[in-house]
Amino acid sequence: MNYFERARYFRTKKRLGQNFLIDGEVISDIINYANISPDDTIIEIGPGVGFVTEQLVRHAKKVIAIELDEEAIKELKKLDAPNLEIIHNDILKTDLSSLCQEDIKIVANIPYYITSPILAHLLGEIDDLKNKNRAKIKDIILMVQEEVALRMVANENSQGKQYGLLTILSQFWADVKILRTVGRKCFYPAPKVTSALVKLDVRKEPLLKLSDYSHFRKTIRAGFAQRRKNIKNCLLNGGFPKEKVFNALSKLNIDENTRGEKLSIETFGKLSEELLKN
């Protein structure tokens, strides 16, 4: 029985954002891109009924599948793989660092509506320097909306509103690249959007060396809070003292009428450091 026929027998739940991957070529690509060795432990987030899982267990030493849906778990148990551990839990409430001793790879086909919270859970926020989950993760293969993937790999020269807080969160703790796009018909039920497969190679050190990472987070939040306003007004509205704002922009030769979305991550880092000075 092919993936489509198998998926049709399962009652998907819209509230859980369930769209099962049913394209064998894409599943094969996930396995290849994950570059799994026989010694690897994989944590799969949102395995659903196990179409990717049944391939992962053939390649990895151990697969830990984290699934919220009880009915999906019943299907996963039918795989009867000795190297498969199934955890019934919400990923956002799961401490990944406690699940195994060794470093892990992540494979995830997640509900698209919680992409940002899951990324923050896996990588930690920008000022979370000692995040336990991130410390255990080598890399992440993630299925997301194509629109979100473009935001994750964007920069200050990207079109529209692609470059923003999600960009900086993703790139601050990982090297991010889009592996391939995935059409709507590759899923059942078919979503309304095109998807993309993204790889994040997790950094051991943050992208920038800064004296105060919480201050940097405050700076970028202010910079992107009101996209139509220039960086000067964004910083002032974000609670930064007027004199410090003018001095920092002048010192870095940043035109006060520039919008935040036109400042690189590195420039935001320099701006944050200047704003800290007396």
Side-chain angles (χ1 to χ4, degrees):
M1 188 184 298
N2 63 31
Y3 292 123
F4 175 73
E5 291 299 326
R6 291 167 64 185
R8 284 181 59 197
Y9 281 99
F10 186 84
R11 183 171 60 86
T12 56
K13 301 171 182 63
K14 190 174 182 179
R15 64 182 174 80
L16 295 179
Q18 288 179 333
N19 299 95
F20 298 141
L21 182 60
I22 57 172
D23 188 289
E25 180 183 323
V26 179
I27 292 173
S28 179
D29 281 349
I30 289 174
I31 300 303
N32 291 332
Y33 286 131
N35 192 25
I36 304 167
S37 78
D39 295 323
D40 281 332
T41 294
I42 309 293
I43 290 184
E44 186 184 9
I45 301 170
V49 292
F51 297 159
V52 177
T53 316
E54 64 188 20
Q55 300 302 320
L56 290 173
V57 295
R58 296 177 182 177
H59 294 81
K61 180 180 73 173
K62 184 174 184 179
V63 176
I64 302 172
I66 302 174
E67 175 59 54
L68 186 59
D69 184 6
E70 291 183 3
E71 291 183 35
I73 286 176
K74 292 178 183 177
E75 296 300 314
L76 287 170
K77 288 180 178 178
K78 293 178 183 179
L79 294 178
D80 194 27
N83 60 336
L84 173 62
E85 178 183 351
I86 302 168
I87 295 178
H88 180 205
N89 202 9
D90 181 340
I91 180 59
L92 296 177
K93 298 177 182 177
T94 305
D95 178 4
L96 303 184
S97 67
S98 67
L99 299 182
C100 57
Q101 294 296 317
E102 62 274 16
D103 287 348
I104 55 178
K105 289 174 174 279
I106 301 283
V107 173
N109 180 20
I110 59 177
Y112 290 166
Y113 67 93
I114 54 170
T115 298
S116 292
I118 287 179
L119 269 177
H121 184 62
L122 298 178
L123 297 177
E125 293 288 357
I126 284 168
D127 54 350
D128 188 0
L129 300 182
K130 296 182 179 180
N131 183 272
K132 293 186 296 181
N133 288 338
R134 185 182 65 247
K136 297 280 290 185
I137 300 171
K138 291 188 284 189
D139 54 60
I140 303 166
I141 301 291
L142 185 66
M143 186 76 74
V144 296
Q145 288 185 42
E146 182 182 25
E147 177 186 338
V148 172
L150 291 171
R151 288 166 58 196
M152 291 171 68
V153 302
N155 58 45
E156 70 277 11
N157 298 314
S158 297
Q159 63 183 14
K161 298 180 180 180
Q162 291 176 353
Y163 178 60
L165 293 176
L166 180 62
T167 309
I168 300 179
L169 170 63
S170 303
Q171 296 179 22
F172 205 71
W173 289 114
D175 180 27
V176 191
K177 60 183 175 182
I178 296 175
L179 300 173
R180 60 162 293 172
T181 56
V182 182
R184 291 176 288 177
K185 292 183 179 179
C186 293
F187 298 89
Y188 179 85
K192 296 179 180 179
V193 296
T194 300
S195 302
L197 205 57
V198 177
K199 185 175 184 185
L200 298 92
D201 289 304
V202 177
R203 304 180 190 277
K204 293 301 180 185
E205 299 293 333
L207 180 64
L208 305 177
K209 289 186 179 295
L210 303 169
S211 60
D212 189 330
Y213 290 88
S214 294
H215 189 268
F216 175 67
R217 185 180 177 188
K218 178 183 176 183
T219 302
I220 60 172
R221 286 177 68 88
F224 288 105
Q226 298 167 297
R227 283 183 174 268
R228 293 189 178 183
K229 293 187 179 294
N230 61 39
I231 188 62
K232 178 197 73 175
N233 289 331
C234 283
L235 292 172
L236 293 175
N237 292 338
F240 291 91
K242 184 176 181 179
E243 184 176 351
K244 286 192 174 186
V245 169
F246 280 98
N247 287 342
L249 294 176
S250 175
K251 181 73 178 294
L252 296 172
N253 294 315
I254 298 173
D255 187 329
E256 64 181 40
N257 291 314
T258 302
R259 291 182 178 180
E261 63 199 56
K262 294 302 178 183
L263 301 182
S264 68
I265 299 176
E266 291 75 16
T267 301
F268 264 117
K270 294 175 183 177
L271 182 57
S272 176
E273 294 293 281
E274 283 297 326
L275 289 167
L276 280 169
K277 296 178 180 178
N278 294 324

